[in-house]
Amino acid sequence: QVQLVESGGGLVQSGGSLRLSCAASGFTLDYYAIGWFRQAPGKEREGVSCISISDRSTYNTDSVKGRFTISRDNAKNTVYLQMNSLGPEDTGVYYCAAEAFGQKECSWSRLRYDYWGQGTQVTVSS
Protein backbone atom coordinates (compact mmCIF):
# COMPACT_ATOMS: atom_id res chain seq x y z
CA GLN A 1 0.00 0.00 0.00
CA VAL A 2 1.08 3.57 -0.62
CA GLN A 3 1.84 5.11 2.73
CA LEU A 4 3.33 8.25 4.20
CA VAL A 5 4.34 8.24 7.84
CA GLU A 6 5.29 11.41 9.69
CA SER A 7 7.49 11.47 12.74
CA GLY A 8 9.54 13.91 14.77
CA GLY A 9 6.81 15.95 16.39
CA GLY A 10 6.74 16.76 20.05
CA LEU A 11 6.68 19.47 22.67
CA VAL A 12 9.23 22.25 22.40
CA GLN A 13 9.73 25.66 23.92
CA SER A 14 9.46 28.88 21.98
CA GLY A 15 12.60 29.43 19.97
CA GLY A 16 13.34 25.74 19.76
CA SER A 17 13.68 23.50 16.75
CA LEU A 18 12.26 20.26 15.44
CA ARG A 19 12.89 18.19 12.36
CA LEU A 20 9.91 16.33 10.99
CA SER A 21 10.34 13.29 8.79
CA CYS A 22 7.99 11.91 6.17
CA ALA A 23 8.87 8.37 5.20
CA ALA A 24 7.25 6.93 2.10
CA SER A 25 6.54 3.35 1.16
CA GLY A 26 4.90 1.93 -1.93
CA PHE A 27 6.10 4.72 -4.22
CA THR A 28 9.16 6.80 -4.97
CA LEU A 29 8.99 10.26 -3.46
CA ASP A 30 11.22 11.82 -6.08
CA TYR A 31 8.45 11.37 -8.65
CA TYR A 32 6.04 13.51 -6.65
CA ALA A 33 5.81 17.03 -5.37
CA ILE A 34 5.63 16.77 -1.60
CA GLY A 35 3.96 19.26 0.67
CA TRP A 36 3.84 19.83 4.38
CA PHE A 37 0.57 21.07 5.83
CA ARG A 38 -0.48 21.89 9.33
CA GLN A 39 -3.74 22.25 11.16
CA ALA A 40 -3.84 24.40 14.24
CA PRO A 41 -6.57 23.98 16.85
CA GLY A 42 -9.79 25.49 15.55
CA LYS A 43 -8.30 26.33 12.17
CA GLU A 44 -8.32 24.87 8.70
CA ARG A 45 -5.47 22.83 7.34
CA GLU A 46 -2.99 25.05 5.56
CA GLY A 47 0.05 24.57 3.40
CA VAL A 48 3.40 25.27 5.01
CA SER A 49 6.16 24.12 2.71
CA CYS A 50 6.50 22.21 -0.53
CA ILE A 51 9.21 20.67 -2.65
CA SER A 52 8.60 20.08 -6.33
CA ILE A 53 9.34 16.97 -8.33
CA SER A 54 13.04 16.20 -8.64
CA ASP A 55 13.77 19.09 -6.27
CA ARG A 56 13.22 21.67 -8.99
CA SER A 57 12.20 24.24 -6.42
CA THR A 58 10.92 24.72 -2.90
CA TYR A 59 8.23 26.99 -1.53
CA ASN A 60 7.31 28.28 1.89
CA THR A 61 4.39 30.29 3.13
CA ASP A 62 5.21 33.76 4.41
CA SER A 63 4.54 32.74 7.98
CA VAL A 64 7.38 30.20 7.97
CA LYS A 65 9.73 31.65 5.38
CA GLY A 66 13.23 31.91 6.75
CA ARG A 67 12.45 29.52 9.59
CA PHE A 68 11.40 26.27 7.91
CA THR A 69 13.33 24.29 5.32
CA ILE A 70 12.01 21.37 3.32
CA SER A 71 14.40 18.82 1.87
CA ARG A 72 14.40 15.37 0.34
CA ASP A 73 16.65 12.36 0.77
CA ASN A 74 15.91 10.05 -2.13
CA ALA A 75 18.18 7.32 -0.81
CA LYS A 76 15.93 7.07 2.24
CA ASN A 77 12.74 7.90 0.35
CA THR A 78 12.10 10.53 2.98
CA VAL A 79 11.20 14.22 3.03
CA TYR A 80 12.13 16.41 5.96
CA LEU A 81 10.88 19.65 7.40
CA GLN A 82 13.44 21.46 9.51
CA MET A 83 11.65 23.92 11.76
CA ASN A 84 13.61 26.58 13.60
CA SER A 85 12.65 29.51 15.80
CA LEU A 86 9.36 27.90 16.66
CA GLY A 87 6.61 29.88 18.30
CA PRO A 88 3.20 29.04 19.75
CA GLU A 89 1.62 29.97 16.43
CA ASP A 90 3.34 26.94 14.93
CA THR A 91 1.42 24.55 17.14
CA GLY A 92 -0.68 22.05 15.26
CA VAL A 93 -0.81 18.68 13.60
CA TYR A 94 1.64 18.50 10.73
CA TYR A 95 0.93 16.35 7.70
CA CYS A 96 3.01 15.42 4.72
CA ALA A 97 1.28 14.77 1.43
CA ALA A 98 2.13 13.76 -2.11
CA GLU A 99 0.51 15.39 -5.11
CA ALA A 100 -1.17 13.40 -7.82
CA PHE A 101 1.22 11.67 -10.18
CA GLY A 102 2.07 13.95 -13.07
CA GLN A 103 1.88 17.15 -11.05
CA LYS A 104 5.40 18.51 -11.26
CA GLU A 105 4.96 21.73 -9.34
CA CYS A 106 3.72 22.58 -5.90
CA SER A 107 0.27 23.67 -4.90
CA TRP A 108 -1.15 25.01 -1.66
CA SER A 109 -4.49 23.38 -2.38
CA ARG A 110 -4.84 20.20 -0.39
CA LEU A 111 -7.23 18.93 -3.05
CA ARG A 112 -4.24 18.48 -5.35
CA TYR A 113 -2.71 15.89 -3.04
CA ASP A 114 -3.58 12.22 -3.35
CA TYR A 115 -1.64 10.71 -0.47
CA TRP A 116 -1.56 11.87 3.13
CA GLY A 117 0.13 10.76 6.28
CA GLN A 118 -1.65 10.52 9.61
CA GLY A 119 0.04 13.59 11.01
CA THR A 120 2.39 14.32 13.86
CA GLN A 121 1.63 16.71 16.70
CA VAL A 122 3.82 19.74 17.22
CA THR A 123 3.25 21.76 20.36
CA VAL A 124 5.22 24.91 21.08
CA SER A 125 4.98 26.29 24.58
CA SER A 126 5.09 30.01 25.21
Side-chain angles (χ1 to χ4, degrees):
Q1 296 284 349
V2 173
Q3 293 187 32
L4 294 170
V5 180
E6 303 95 335
S7 62
L11 175 64
V12 299
Q13 295 180 334
S14 295
S17 299
L18 285 173
R19 189 176 79 158
L20 306 183
S21 298
C22 175
S25 62
F27 68 105
T28 301
L29 277 181
D30 191 46
Y31 296 158
Y32 296 83
I34 306 297
W36 282 98
F37 292 76
R38 69 185 179 190
Q39 188 163 16
K43 295 184 178 180
E44 299 296 319
R45 192 174 302 183
E46 63 177 353
V48 174
S49 187
C50 185
I51 186 166
S52 64
I53 189 171
S54 301
D55 299 346
R56 294 179 181 181
S57 58
T58 60
Y59 303 89
N60 296 288
T61 58
D62 290 341
S63 62
V64 306
K65 188 175 183 179
R67 300 188 298 120
F68 290 11
T69 302
I70 188 170
S71 62
R72 190 196 313 255
D73 187 339
N74 290 328
K76 297 181 179 180
N77 212 29
T78 299
V79 169
Y80 303 97
L81 183 66
Q82 179 66 46
M83 307 186 296
N84 299 325
S85 302
L86 289 166
E89 69 276 9
D90 297 312
T91 293
V93 179
Y94 283 70
Y95 303 86
C96 67
E99 287 194 9
F101 184 79
Q103 296 293 325
K104 296 180 174 61
E105 267 299 342
C106 292
S107 172
W108 295 130
S109 174
R110 60 188 181 91
L111 298 178
R112 297 278 188 90
Y113 293 81
D114 280 355
Y115 310 111
W116 293 82
Q118 294 299 305
T120 184
Q121 176 70 45
V122 172
T123 303
V124 185
S125 62
S126 60

